[in-house]
Amino acid sequence: MPSRPRRQTMQKGDKFGKLTIIKLGDPLTCRCDCGKVRKLPVSKWGKVRSCGCLRLEIARERFLRDNPGKKQQPENLKGYIFGRLRVIEYFGRAPSGHPLWTCVCQCGNTHVVRADSLLQGRTRSCGCLSDDVKRRRKHDRQHSLPSLRQQ
């Protein structure tokens, strides 16, 4: 990941991730590589890497990695894998009109998920992935530094 640029050295034409500064000020006006123009507070420069298109690209790459041989995202998701979730059947529609799918997680839990959440990579498990990440971070914090009490 590129290092965060310093505020003092920001100039028109500077680039971070997919964003290029096209107008200085607060907020900055930036153009993404995809062509969208976005206003960005100066405090966010160096933290935000795109207009949002990068997240969709990452989700698309993850989909293609998890489902080899598939070239595009289908209307019928049955049998597809998204992270830890395998889609097993169509559930119906949410009150908002979004299609819902029943999925089985690797941990064994069943979970109903909106199709767009699966396709955009926002939902990758029943919640167990978040629990595992929290558990791993806690373990790493406890075991990464030597105890100060031994001195």
Side-chain angles (χ1 to χ4, degrees), residues 83-99:
R84 293 184 177 187
L85 296 172
R86 176 181 292 279
V87 181
I88 56 172
E89 66 183 359
Y90 179 73
F91 182 81
R93 291 202 173 267
S96 61
H98 291 91

Side-chain angles (χ1 to χ4, degrees), residues 9-136:
T9 61
M10 283 190 300
Q11 298 176 7
K12 187 176 176 182
D14 283 355
K15 187 168 177 112
F16 183 79
K18 292 180 157 232
L19 296 175
T20 305
I21 298 175
I22 57 175
K23 184 179 174 189
L24 292 172
D26 196 1
L28 297 168
T29 304
C30 302
R31 182 180 310 279
C32 186
D33 288 349
C34 72
K36 289 183 183 174
V37 175
R38 177 175 179 181
K39 293 199 181 279
L40 189 69
V42 173
S43 62
K44 296 286 185 184
W45 178 251
K47 296 176 186 174
V48 177
R49 297 185 292 159
S50 76
C51 67
C53 63
L54 184 61
R55 190 174 89 186
L56 294 176
E57 284 180 25
I58 292 169
R60 192 173 300 116
E61 289 171 8
R62 193 178 291 134
F63 171 82
L64 294 173
R65 182 194 67 218
D66 290 346
N67 299 284
K70 307 295 180 190
K71 293 185 179 166
Q72 63 182 14
Q73 297 168 346
E75 292 297 317
N76 182 1
L77 302 179
K78 187 174 181 179
Y80 284 84
I81 298 169
F82 298 91
R84 293 184 177 187
L85 296 172
R86 176 181 292 279
V87 181
I88 56 172
E89 66 183 359
Y90 179 73
F91 182 81
R93 291 202 173 267
S96 61
H98 291 91
L100 298 171
W101 291 88
T102 303
C103 303
V104 174
C105 188
Q106 286 178 355
C107 70
N109 289 334
T110 304
H111 196 60
V112 176
V113 186
R114 281 177 36 172
D116 60 326
S117 291
L118 291 169
L119 293 169
Q120 293 175 6
R122 289 192 308 258
T123 304
R124 295 183 296 160
S125 76
C126 65
C128 63
L129 180 61
S130 176
D131 295 342
D132 288 351
V133 169
K134 288 176 189 172
R135 201 174 299 117
R136 194 174 313 121

